[in-house]
Amino acid sequence: MDHIYELAIVGAGPAGIATAVESYLQGIRDIVLLEKDENHNSTIRKYYKDNKRVDVEWKGQKVELDGNIYFIDGTKETTLDFFDEILSKHSVELQTHVEVTGIEKKDGYFEVHMAGKSIKAKYVVVTIGRMGKPNKPSYKIPPAIRKKVNYTTDECGSGEKILVVGGGDSAVEYAVDLSANNDVAICYRRETFRRANPTNQRDIANAIAHNEVRPILGVNIDGLEATEDGKIKVLFNEIEPEVFDRVIYAIGGTTPSAFLASSGIQEADGKPVHDEHYETNIPGLFVAGDITQESGGSIALGLNHGYAIACRINNLC
């Protein structure tokens, strides 16, 4: 507790790693990167299917990279390798399996609280991604079926009747991939998958046309019930209920508002308030990555956030 890091970064995704590396390149050496999961980029590891394309331009966002990290189009695997490589080339301390519970401003430094311990840092950057807190349905999930209601495909096997809920890229990709070994339906409250990128729109249209995925579109879900044999009865609003072996919700993530509020970071319109350098209302405390965007953001944007923050901290040092 006597040691004061120059910079502590909460979250080891693209924005967090970029902040660390860009700060290192600007001469800041005492940096710690704090990650609650077992490795960096947990969102990519958990929510991206194997060999999924990872593009610089995301959902049509054209972003010119500002900093020193040269990121190019690739796949899930090459992207993870890329971040492995740039982390290994720079002296950044990565601590995993540590969940930050709050940040407290002290006289001349911050105290970053974790379960069972705290660290001190002169500057702190919060880069917690929205998918660290996936959106859940508003209705309650009966305890008897909770293990069969998931937010990723990790628990899926084969030969199951599965309902995927959502209309974005993750939902579409889950449905198409799972249809190879399962009976899959996809439920979305709208009539089209316009939120998905063009490649995924084509893939889901092809899967539906070949009866590989059954669409349940323009339909809302009122709730779930457990059947006597442990299956999931889905209560639709507009159509009759149907029983499934498993339900997967892919309905996005949400801003960690409780964490931000406990750390004194102000919010407006569901996003943390910050200036052009991504500095919050608390001097020396920054935010970066997709929590600064209304509906997530690209890796390229996160890299630019890291560069802007590094420049700001370097000017303050």
Side-chain angles (χ1 to χ4, degrees):
M1 277 293 293
D2 291 333
H3 178 74
I4 299 179
Y5 288 95
E6 190 71 19
L7 173 62
I9 302 164
V10 183
I17 294 174
T19 304
V21 170
E22 295 287 5
S23 298
Y24 179 89
L25 292 173
Q26 296 204 33
I28 299 172
R29 291 292 182 265
D30 199 8
I31 303 169
V32 62
L33 195 54
L34 305 170
E35 172 56 47
K36 71 175 182 178
D37 286 299
E38 63 184 16
N39 210 335
H40 64 81
N41 284 297
S42 60
T43 295
I44 294 176
R45 296 177 194 276
K46 290 180 181 179
Y47 296 98
Y48 285 36
K49 66 179 182 179
D50 292 344
N51 297 311
K52 172 181 168 65
R53 284 193 57 80
V54 181
D55 297 328
V56 176
E57 294 182 6
W58 180 80
K59 289 189 177 180
Q61 295 179 342
K62 295 184 180 295
V63 179
E64 295 292 333
L65 294 173
D66 298 329
N68 299 285
I69 298 174
Y70 184 63
F71 179 71
I72 60 174
D73 295 345
T75 64
K76 169 184 176 179
E77 291 75 16
T78 62
T79 299
L80 293 174
D81 288 344
F82 171 79
F83 284 111
D84 276 335
E85 183 179 355
I86 64 172
L87 271 175
S88 68
K89 286 184 177 180
H90 304 90
S91 298
V92 176
E93 178 184 342
L94 174 61
Q95 293 187 18
T96 58
H97 297 105
V98 289
E99 184 169 4
V100 175
T101 57
I103 302 164
E104 188 177 357
K105 178 75 171 180
K106 297 289 188 177
D107 186 16
Y109 65 91
F110 292 92
E111 199 164 296
V112 182
H113 300 290
M114 295 164 278
K117 68 174 183 178
S118 297
I119 64 167
K120 297 177 181 178
K122 188 175 179 182
Y123 301 100
V124 177
V125 184
V126 177
T127 69
I128 300 172
R130 289 174 181 267
M131 290 311 295
K133 187 179 179 183
N135 283 328
K136 298 182 179 182
S138 58
Y139 39 85
K140 292 184 178 180
I141 308 299
I145 57 174
R146 282 178 185 165
K147 290 185 178 180
K148 296 181 179 180
V149 176
N150 311 125
Y151 302 91
T152 71
T153 60
D154 292 348
E155 304 300 321
C156 296
S158 59
E160 293 183 313
K161 183 180 178 183
I162 300 174
L163 178 68
V164 178
V165 182
D169 288 313
S170 292
V172 168
E173 289 169 5
Y174 289 169
V176 172
D177 289 347
L178 290 170
S179 67
N181 299 298
N182 298 278
D183 176 8
V184 177
I186 184 168
C187 177
Y188 186 41
R189 58 190 175 86
R190 301 190 185 279
E191 297 285 350
T192 65
F193 298 101
R194 61 187 181 189
R195 287 179 52 223
N197 67 44
T199 299
N200 283 331
Q201 288 186 40
R202 181 197 64 210
D203 289 347
I204 191 65
N206 184 63
I208 292 171
H210 289 85
N211 297 316
E212 296 166 355
V213 174
R214 178 164 56 93
I216 305 176
L217 301 179
V219 173
N220 293 279
I221 297 175
D222 286 340
L224 306 180
E225 292 180 356
T227 65
E228 291 184 358
D229 56 355
K231 295 189 178 184
I232 304 168
K233 184 177 182 180
V234 180
L235 307 176
F236 296 105
N237 184 277
E238 294 85 356
I239 60 176
E240 292 298 311
E242 187 172 348
V243 175
F244 294 87
D245 297 313
R246 188 178 302 277
V247 175
I248 299 174
Y249 288 93
I251 51 178
T254 186
T255 301
S257 296
F259 172 81
L260 296 176
S262 69
S263 301
I265 299 173
Q266 295 177 355
E267 275 191 79
D269 300 324
K271 298 178 293 182
V273 175
H274 60 80
D275 64 13
E276 68 272 20
H277 307 292
Y278 302 96
E279 191 168 14
T280 69
N281 55 291
I282 302 174
L285 180 55
F286 299 79
V287 289
D290 64 5
I291 61 170
T292 67
Q293 309 297 309
E294 289 185 2
S295 58
S298 69
I299 289 177
L301 278 175
L303 300 182
N304 283 352
H305 294 175
Y307 177 69
I309 292 169
C311 292
R312 174 64 171 168
I313 293 175
N314 186 47
N315 289 333
L316 291 172
C317 291

